[in-house]
């Protein structure tokens, strides 16, 4: 958990040294910046800011330390009993094992990608016109069949009336 936090914080760029996370930034604005920043000296304001951050973040840090300590004790217990260090499978570990087990070629992955791939070689308007032409040809064929069927019906009715 600490390693994950370190990796996450490695890529977070903060605009200043004393950063308050989302709900606590309101405390910073209303109880530190507005009442104190404009009239306190820089050194005193930094000391006040550091003190407030320590008070606010200490419960979170203590909870994190408790959870990390509990996990470390579990690892030590597992090692003493000859088991794996951490026998619980975390969510991100499940995804890693699924990716290793997944064989894209044997399950028709390439075919699915080919059918979902957009046609970037032809203009979309040209593709639509081609589809409309095909539909018009189908309609012409249907109308032609209906016309031939009417002619046969008319021929059969006309033949009966002459007798």
């Amino acid at each position: 958990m600490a390693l994950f936090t370190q990796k996450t914080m490695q890529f977070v760029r903060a605009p200043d040294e004393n950063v308050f996370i989302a709900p606590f930034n309101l405390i910073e604005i209303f109880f530190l910046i507005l009442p104190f920043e404009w009239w306190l000296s820089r050194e005193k304001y930094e000391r006040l800011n550091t003190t407030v951050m320590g008070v606010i973040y200490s419960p979170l840090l203590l909870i994190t330390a408790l959870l990390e300590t509990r996990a470390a004790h579990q690892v030590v217990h597992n090692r003493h009993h000859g088991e794996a260090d951490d026998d619980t499978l975390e969510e991100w570990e499940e995804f890693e094992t699924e990716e290793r087990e997944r064989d894209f070629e044997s399950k028709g992955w390439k075919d699915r990608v080919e059918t979902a791939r957009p046609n970037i070689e032809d203009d979309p308007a040209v593709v639509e016109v081609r589809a409309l032409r095909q539909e018009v040809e189908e309609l012409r064929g249907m109308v032609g069949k209906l016309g031939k069927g009417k002619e046969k019906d008319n021929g059969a009715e006309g033949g009966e009336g002459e007798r």
Side-chain angles (χ1 to χ4, degrees):
M1 191 158 140
L3 182 62
F4 175 74
T5 304
Q6 187 270 336
K7 285 182 178 181
T8 303
M9 294 305 292
Q10 178 181 358
F11 296 105
V12 174
R13 184 181 166 272
D16 59 324
E17 302 87 31
N18 300 319
V19 180
F20 287 80
I21 58 175
F24 301 129
N25 61 352
L26 297 174
I27 293 173
E28 177 188 23
I29 292 170
F30 293 114
F31 296 108
L32 286 175
I33 293 176
L34 292 177
F36 295 113
E37 185 179 37
W38 62 276
W39 65 272
L40 274 179
S41 67
R42 183 167 180 81
E43 294 82 24
K44 287 183 180 179
Y45 179 73
E46 285 181 15
R47 192 172 4 172
L48 175 65
N49 203 340
T50 304
T51 304
V52 171
M53 286 182 80
V55 169
I56 289 174
Y57 289 135
S58 61
L60 297 173
L61 293 173
L62 288 173
I63 291 171
T64 303
L66 177 69
L67 293 174
E68 289 288 330
T69 305
R70 185 179 294 165
H73 286 301
Q74 184 68 33
V75 168
V76 170
H77 177 267
N78 288 345
R79 284 182 182 175
H80 283 298
H81 290 87
E83 298 173 3
D85 284 351
D86 189 9
D87 57 354
T88 58
L89 193 61
E90 299 292 339
E91 182 179 347
W92 60 85
E93 293 171 331
E94 289 177 17
F95 290 132
E96 288 175 358
T97 56
E98 287 175 7
E99 287 175 7
R100 275 187 256 126
E101 293 171 357
R102 200 175 294 145
D103 183 16
F104 291 114
E105 293 301 321
S106 67
K107 296 182 181 178
W109 179 256
K110 190 173 185 177
D111 296 334
R112 290 177 62 191
V113 169
E114 286 296 321
T115 57
R117 184 176 56 107
N119 185 1
I120 58 171
E121 296 169 357
D122 294 332
D123 187 29
V126 173
V127 173
E128 287 295 321
V129 168
R130 288 180 185 159
L132 286 173
R133 280 187 182 165
Q134 184 179 2
E135 289 177 12
V136 167
E137 290 300 320
E138 289 174 8
L139 287 173
R140 282 184 183 168
M142 291 175 156
V143 169
K145 288 179 184 176
L146 284 175
K148 289 180 183 177
K150 287 278 188 181
E151 288 176 4
K152 287 181 182 177
D153 288 343
N154 288 341
E157 288 175 10
E160 289 177 11
E162 291 177 15
R163 288 188 193 165

